[in-house]
Amino acid sequence: MATENKKALVFSILEFLQKSCEDGTINKDDSEGIEVAMQCIGEAFGVDASDEAQKQQYSTKPATLTSIFDVYLKTKSKTAAKVL
């Protein structure tokens, strides 16, 4: 069974994939396959990105997975620069 932290991560991944389908990052031809993958991932972890209760529990908004990752990359870059 997935921990709550893992469910929150999966929820963020599903939100990221959904937004990528909607904003054109993923082309229309590939969107159907991504949507099937999203359903499989959600079922495997017991997460449903369209469920309002789970949105309240797992959403990181206003942060997004992309913004969290950007912060990580900037922190990593600054840390690497200090080591040198």
Side-chain angles (χ1 to χ4, degrees):
M1 177 174 245
T3 64
E4 295 301 298
N5 283 352
K6 287 182 181 179
K7 286 184 176 185
L9 176 59
V10 169
F11 190 89
S12 292
I13 291 167
L14 295 176
E15 284 186 322
F16 168 76
L17 291 172
Q18 182 65 42
K19 182 165 178 21
S20 295
C21 286
E22 292 170 355
D23 69 10
T25 302
I26 297 172
N27 67 49
K28 296 268 187 217
D29 292 339
D30 295 329
S31 289
E32 185 176 328
I34 294 297
E35 289 169 4
V36 170
M38 289 169 57
Q39 290 173 342
C40 292
I41 293 166
E43 287 176 16
F45 286 89
V47 174
D48 179 358
S50 65
D51 181 274
E52 288 300 319
Q54 288 189 14
K55 281 182 186 178
Q56 291 281 11
Q57 187 172 4
Y58 301 129
S59 180
T60 59
K61 288 189 178 189
T64 64
L65 189 59
T66 304
S67 67
I68 293 167
F69 191 67
D70 287 343
V71 169
Y72 163 74
L73 290 176
K74 287 177 186 173
T75 302
K76 181 181 173 188
S77 176
K78 288 179 183 178
T79 303
K82 289 181 182 178
V83 171
L84 299 175

